Amino acid sequence: MQWSRNPRQGEFAMLWRKTRKSMCCPIIGLTLALVLCGMLPVWAAERVALDVELNDPQAANQWVLPPNSGASVSGGELILDTVNRNGVRIFLRKPTLSDLTLTCKVLVESKGPGVRAFEVCFHSAGIASHQFVHVNRGAAILGWVSRESLWNKAASVANARKEDAWLDVKVECEKQQIRFYLDGRLVLEGTDSHWQSGRIGFGSSQALVRVKDIRVEGTPATLDKPWRDDAPKVPVLFGTFHELEPKRRHTKVSGKLDISASEPFIISSRITNPKLGAHEQPHLFKMPCGDIHLVFHSDGDIHGATRVVLRSCDKGKTWEPMPISVNRHEAVGVLTDGTVLVYDDYAFRKEGNLFVGQMCVSKDGGRTFGPVELASFHRADAAGSVAAGTHWKAKDLDKYRTTSAKWSDQLCHALWRSVLQKQDGTLIACAHTRYKGDKKGKLRVVCYHSTDGGRTWGSESTVAYDLDVGGEGFVEPVMSLCSNGDVLCMMRHGLWQARSTDGGKTWQPYKTLEVRGVDPDLCLMTDGILACSYGRPGNRIMFSIDGTGREWTDRLQIYEYQRGSFGYTGIVEVQPGKLLYVYDRRDAYAEYDGEQTTAIQGVYITVKRKG
């Protein structure tokens, strides 16, 4: 390490140089010790700067490097290789600083199908107590971790970044205010007060990350407690439903339902089906012919990711690839005449407020699908869009250039999860989107209507929007008809719901369920029970016994994990009273002799009313 002079630290730098030359002076040595320990006279509160040495043969000793983690120091660079490992974070042993500015160069190699994320960590009070900026292929996220909660988001923004090229990275912290710059551009800013001093570090998730030219400047500080280098104790029982303690399997028990869950089973994995890619973020859809479609990411958690489809003709026991013409199978509508509509996640601006998106149609109940067609979305005047190049690589946009992106690369989200048909034949569907002028980058959920069988969508109305909602705002909506005819829309961050009593024309004020979760799914069962699956933390399901969604009870923990799932789930009723529940799981599998992989797992849940 090399401390360097700047106009505000001349006295400290001079003291450091003198002390390095001769430690025989007890006064200088004592003064240095007081500075480094934080027992400072007034003048010593000035800022100091440090260039981190990475070329020295002993450079690795400066870092807290977990064994067998893929983290090393070589050739003047930090190397964080987690392409085929769990994510890792490493920390510099000293100094402890507040109000810091950290600069460095980061290179992410284009290896592996995952998020390929690098992380800059700061204000660390321990391995599991710090703040971070997580930068993946499509977003920058400001977050924090504690020993009790290992992933918490404070702010985020869509952001594309280069690979196989050095990036100039900068983090500025001033009390609770945090700013993140990439290649000289302010990308993300937010506030967080969990920690305001500590060590710095770096992390990697599903990526090969290289870091060099690390420089940190800040005010010397001390921690209230010694820096903790021990990982949090993992609760004794992480695992699937039957592995959990009974009191953790089933909570908020109503006493009105008999519920049982099967042992989990692997549907597909990166080991058995490597050509299907990442095996992440599954959704489920039931076809009129009885088939079930399982849809999941093959490219990892990135904008424009291709989703693949597996089909089961025997209620989820066996699966086979299902060819389908849209690139990113995201929403499904099943009509009363057996027609099935499948929509891509993205729509592109054609002209004015007219957007078009990929769709395909099945006329035989979902057994086969026709070629790509274009659905039209007549958006509201305030509807926003963004250039695909902001988030996407050219090869991902190329998948749309001959169809929906033929006229422009300005895109928005089209439909998400569910398309419902009302008694008068009108279709309604929902999506998350941004409007021009929306502040803080917050997303809203909107509802569309179609009167021509799903080819044209309009009459856009807002279901939920709130500047004070966490994360990106309201996202990942799903709709279902309720037992009383209402339309219920469930949304992420954490879980919120809104209700319409007039078929989606107007929406009552949204409300929180005070439940954490992402990407919920809904299923109105044959006997009128409404089921809702959700995840993160844990993969769970809950029930509305009267089917209205006004009260949720009988919460089951299907899979409890530490960092083993995206938390995206899907449910369908395979026969009266029996649900198929799917989720992704990253873990070491006994079925593969302990080898770690990502798989889509399924579990059957049987639900019966008592009495």
Side-chain angles (χ1 to χ4, degrees):
M1 299 182 186
Q2 293 182 343
W3 293 96
S4 60
R5 178 192 294 268
N6 66 40
R8 292 179 290 178
Q9 66 165 85
E11 192 168 3
F12 182 91
M14 180 176 66
L15 174 61
W16 174 246
R17 288 196 302 273
K18 287 181 178 179
T19 308
R20 288 186 66 186
K21 291 179 180 178
S22 174
M23 295 302 292
C24 63
C25 176
I27 296 177
I28 294 177
L30 175 60
T31 305
L32 175 62
L34 292 174
V35 169
L36 293 177
C37 294
M39 301 168 60
L40 306 175
V42 174
W43 58 264
E46 295 183 0
R47 294 171 68 81
V48 297
L50 168 67
D51 294 306
V52 179
E53 174 60 59
L54 294 176
N55 287 294
D56 190 277
Q58 303 301 315
N61 295 335
Q62 304 172 95
W63 299 87
V64 179
L65 300 177
N68 304 315
S69 63
S72 62
V73 179
S74 177
E77 298 175 1
L78 284 179
I79 309 295
L80 304 174
D81 184 359
T82 59
V83 173
N84 295 305
R85 294 183 177 90
N86 287 333
V88 66
R89 289 175 180 149
I90 66 171
F91 296 91
L92 195 62
R93 295 184 183 276
K94 58 182 180 180
T96 298
L97 299 173
S98 64
D99 292 337
L100 64 86
T101 297
L102 186 156
T103 59
C104 63
K105 292 185 180 294
V106 175
L107 185 147
V108 182
E109 296 191 9
S110 55
K111 293 183 177 180
V115 296
R116 298 182 195 159
F118 73 85
E119 294 178 340
V120 182
C121 307
F122 43 93
H123 294 163
S124 171
I127 284 178
S129 304
H130 57 270
Q131 291 146 323
F132 63 87
V133 175
H134 169 105
V135 185
N136 59 40
R137 289 195 272 181
I141 300 169
L142 170 64
W144 58 273
V145 301
S146 69
R147 299 183 69 82
E148 295 76 29
S149 184
L150 295 179
W151 176 274
N152 304 275
K153 186 186 298 185
S156 65
V157 64
N159 176 73
R161 52 113 176 103
K162 298 178 291 186
E163 294 185 343
D164 298 320
W166 287 104
L167 306 170
D168 289 317
V169 172
K170 180 179 180 181
V171 174
E172 291 181 338
C173 302
E174 184 177 358
K175 295 183 171 57
Q176 300 179 19
Q177 188 70 28
I178 300 165
R179 292 179 290 273
F180 171 71
Y181 300 81
L182 200 58
D183 287 336
R185 178 175 61 92
L186 177 62
V187 171
L188 175 66
E189 60 181 330
T191 58
D192 186 74
S193 59
H194 286 86
W195 292 273
Q196 295 185 42
S197 63
R199 302 181 185 180
I200 66 164
F202 296 90
S204 168
S205 177
Q206 300 177 340
L208 199 162
V209 174
R210 295 156 55 191
V211 187
K212 67 178 183 179
D213 298 348
I214 304 167
R215 181 180 176 84
V216 61
E217 177 184 334
T219 303
T222 55
L223 299 174
D224 294 335
K225 298 179 181 179
W227 196 87
R228 295 193 64 169
D229 60 1
D230 60 314
K233 290 184 178 180
V234 177
V236 175
L237 289 176
F238 276 103
T240 57
F241 180 82
H242 296 287
E243 297 170 310
L244 303 175
E245 297 175 359
K247 65 181 180 181
R248 299 174 72 180
R249 299 177 193 169
H250 190 181
T251 58
K252 203 175 182 182
V253 180
S254 69
K256 298 179 180 180
L257 297 178
D258 279 325
I259 306 174
S260 62
S262 73
E263 293 286 348
F265 53 92
I266 297 172
I267 294 174
S268 180
S269 75
R270 296 184 67 174
I271 289 178
T272 56
N273 290 305
K275 291 183 179 179
L276 299 184
H279 285 77
E280 295 171 353
Q281 302 184 16
H283 288 173
L284 272 184
F285 302 97
K286 187 175 181 180
M287 301 293 112
C289 66
D291 291 355
I292 301 169
H293 287 187
L294 167 63
V295 187
F296 54 85
H297 277 3
S298 62
D299 291 340
D301 186 24
I302 61 170
H303 291 277
T306 296
R307 289 169 68 81
V308 297
V309 185
L310 297 181
R311 171 174 60 187
S312 174
C313 303
D314 55 8
K315 301 179 182 179
K317 296 177 183 177
T318 61
W319 299 83
E320 62 183 4
M322 171 71 183
I324 205 156
S325 51
V326 300
N327 177 61
R328 186 177 167 114
H329 181 309
E330 195 63 68
V332 171
V334 175
L335 309 189
T336 54
D337 64 359
T339 299
V340 181
L341 312 173
V342 172
Y343 295 89
D344 193 274
D345 183 20
Y346 298 103
F348 293 81
R349 191 185 298 273
K350 183 176 181 181
E351 58 183 3
N353 293 328
L354 174 62
F355 288 71
V356 291
Q358 291 183 355
M359 67 175 292
C360 62
V361 181
S362 171
K363 295 291 188 180
D364 57 6
R367 291 183 177 87
T368 60
F369 285 81
V372 167
E373 303 179 28
L374 292 182
S376 298
F377 297 85
H378 294 274
R379 301 292 315 278
D381 290 340
S385 63
V386 64
T390 305
H391 312 296
W392 296 19
K393 289 189 173 182
K395 66 180 182 63
D396 296 318
L397 181 58
D398 287 344
K399 301 169 187 175
Y400 295 90
R401 287 194 183 278
T402 60
T403 56
S404 50
K406 186 176 181 180
W407 294 272
S408 83
D409 68 347
Q410 292 290 315
L411 63 83
C412 66
H413 287 285
L415 305 181
W416 190 270
R417 284 264 199 189
S418 43
V419 178
L420 305 181
Q421 186 176 28
K422 301 194 297 184
Q423 289 185 350
D424 65 0
T426 300
L427 305 184
I428 58 174
C430 51
H432 51 250
T433 189
R434 287 189 177 94
Y435 279 6
K436 300 171 186 175
D438 281 352
K439 298 179 180 179
K440 299 183 181 179
K442 297 292 184 180
L443 286 152
R444 65 179 66 210
V445 167
V446 298
C447 179
Y448 296 107
H449 297 252
S450 174
T451 57
D452 65 354
R455 264 70 175 185
T456 306
W457 295 87
S459 303
E460 181 176 336
S461 60
T462 294
V463 176
Y465 174 67
D466 193 325
L467 283 175
D468 296 324
V469 170
E472 305 102 318
F474 292 112
V475 294
E476 298 171 354
V478 60
M479 292 195 304
S480 175
L481 292 172
C482 298
S483 59
N484 62 353
D486 290 352
V487 179
L488 190 70
C489 180
M490 194 80 76
M491 301 161 282
R492 172 182 175 178
H493 278 312
L495 288 188
W496 297 72
Q497 66 180 35
R499 181 180 304 273
S500 174
T501 59
D502 57 7
K505 294 178 182 178
T506 61
W507 294 86
Q508 296 176 0
Y510 48 87
K511 68 175 185 177
T512 178
L513 297 183
E514 298 183 351
V515 173
R516 291 180 62 191
V518 302
D519 199 31
D521 197 9
L522 292 169
C523 177
L524 183 62
M525 301 177 68
T526 305
D527 65 354
I529 297 171
L530 184 61
C532 175
S533 67
Y534 58 102
R536 202 188 304 168
N539 292 335
R540 310 179 185 190
I541 190 170
M542 60 185 177
F543 299 90
S544 170
I545 297 173
D546 65 2
T548 65
R550 297 190 183 278
E551 182 182 10
W552 295 96
T553 62
D554 296 283
R555 295 174 181 170
L556 269 64
Q557 185 86 315
I558 301 302
Y559 172 45
E560 185 171 329
Y561 53 87
Q562 190 172 26
R563 280 193 173 186
S565 176
F566 269 96
Y568 286 55
T569 62
I571 48 174
V572 296
E573 189 177 28
V574 295
Q575 65 187 49
K578 187 175 184 179
L579 296 168
L580 172 61
Y581 180 114
V582 297
Y583 57 96
D584 60 17
R585 177 182 175 187
R586 300 189 302 277
D587 209 339
Y589 282 80
E591 292 90 338
Y592 305 129
D593 298 324
E595 186 173 348
Q596 182 164 307
T597 191
T598 303
I600 305 296
Q601 291 205 160
V603 61
Y604 291 109
I605 302 171
T606 302
V607 185
K608 297 179 181 179
R609 296 182 188 273
K610 287 186 176 180

